Structures are given as structure tokens and as C-alpha cells.
Amino acid sequence: LFSSVSVTDFALGALPKLWERAGIVCIDEPNLGPKEVVERVRPLIDSDELLSLIEDLGQNLPRNEFRFLGFAMNPSWDLRYQGTNDMNEADLGRMAPFEVDYPEPNVERSILCNVCHANGYEITNEDLDLVMAMTEDMREASAPITGSLGFSWGMRIMIGVALGMKYYTLT
């Protein structure tokens, strides 16, 4: 008679390993997931600063005093970010929110030139001017309150357009 026993060991994931070391952790879009995601990160921003591992018999990992936590989130009130969940007042009160705007146009131009170059394409100044002019128009049309478009126009789209200009002519 043979029997097999399956044993599963608990292993720390990336966040618990990082939580105890110095550095910066950025959690991208925690308010896009179900409410359980926000509930899991809530202890990280409260005064105890503990990472609770309920899967590992309730172990609590203290934050390294030089571990800093940031969230990158889009606002739920902006129609361009449908599906983004509200954060409650208590959670927002534990954070120091700030808004990051688009880079200056000369920085965007530099990024576009560098990305195109890294992809084997030297974008012309004329094409770069066209991408920048389109960007200005699209951002105005997709502004949060006054714009009529339901999407945003950021670096990701600009890069796609710039790279596409290797194959297409825009007028």
C-alpha cells in the first residue's frame, strides 16, 4: 500500500522580500483591481507599516526604515480612466498625493528621437514637428473636463506614432 502526501511550502514573493530592504517600491495602479487589492496594501500605508502575510500563518513583516512606497494611479473621476476604483478618504489621507504632468516638449522630443534611434529609425525634424503638433491638438481634445475625446494622449501613443512614421507618411 502506497500513499502520497503533498506538501506545499510558503515562499516569500517580491513585495515581502523588498519590504524588509532599503529602497523604493512603486505599486502601479492598485485602484484598478478589485477592492481586495487596496485592502492588501492598506497596512503598508498605515502607522504600523507592516506587511501582513495571512498566507503564512499571519506573519507580519516590518518595513525597513529606508523603504519608501509609492503608488502610480490615475484618478477615478476622470472619464478617460473607466474602471478605475475610488480610494476611500482614510486611505487617501495616509498618502501624500501629487500630480505628474507631461514632460516639457523638448524632453518629449528627446525621448522620441532616442526611442526611434534605438529602433533603427532616425525620425526627421519635419516628422517630429508633426508628431508634436498632433500631440498638442490631441491633448487639447482629450483634456479631462473640456475635451471631447475619451482617451488620453501620452508618451506611449506618441512613441507608437513616431515609430509608425518609418512606414507611413502623415499629412
Side-chain angles (χ1 to χ4, degrees):
L1 225 254
F2 295 97
S3 66
S4 64
V5 176
S6 177
V7 177
T8 303
D9 291 325
F10 180 81
L12 293 178
L15 183 58
K17 288 178 183 176
L18 292 172
W19 195 242
E20 296 183 303
R21 294 185 358 220
I24 299 171
V25 170
C26 180
I27 299 177
D28 192 25
E29 305 288 358
N31 60 335
L32 274 179
K35 66 180 181 169
E36 291 81 10
V37 172
V38 174
E39 290 171 3
R40 284 294 285 194
V41 299
R42 183 172 292 128
L44 306 180
I45 58 175
D46 69 12
S47 59
D48 291 337
E49 298 174 332
L50 294 173
L51 176 58
S52 298
L53 302 175
I54 57 174
E55 301 85 1
D56 189 28
L57 304 174
Q59 178 181 202
N60 289 315
L61 300 179
R63 179 184 65 86
N64 180 294
E65 66 176 311
F66 298 107
R67 166 60 58 203
F68 301 97
L69 178 65
F71 296 127
M73 299 186 294
N74 289 314
S76 59
W77 53 262
D78 191 329
L79 294 177
R80 297 176 300 175
Y81 306 111
Q82 293 182 358
T84 306
N85 301 309
D86 290 329
M87 298 284 288
N88 70 43
E89 187 65 29
D91 291 335
L92 291 173
R94 293 178 175 114
M95 300 178 192
F98 60 93
E99 185 174 337
V100 177
D101 205 354
Y102 296 114
E104 294 294 322
N106 62 324
V107 173
E108 289 180 320
R109 285 176 171 275
S110 176
I111 292 169
L112 292 173
C113 287
N114 288 334
V115 169
C116 286
H117 178 75
N119 282 276
Y121 169 55
E122 301 304 324
I123 189 168
T124 66
N125 285 330
E126 294 78 21
D127 284 349
L128 193 55
D129 289 343
L130 184 55
V131 173
M132 296 305 294
M134 289 171 32
T135 295
E136 187 176 333
D137 290 346
M138 296 303 287
R139 285 184 179 162
E140 185 177 316
S142 65
I145 296 174
T146 58
S148 58
L149 295 178
F151 60 88
S152 62
W153 185 275
M155 284 305 306
R156 184 178 303 127
I157 294 175
M158 291 172 69
I159 289 170
V161 170
L163 290 173
M165 294 180 88
K166 178 178 181 178
Y167 306 102
Y168 305 103
T169 302
L170 300 177
T171 56

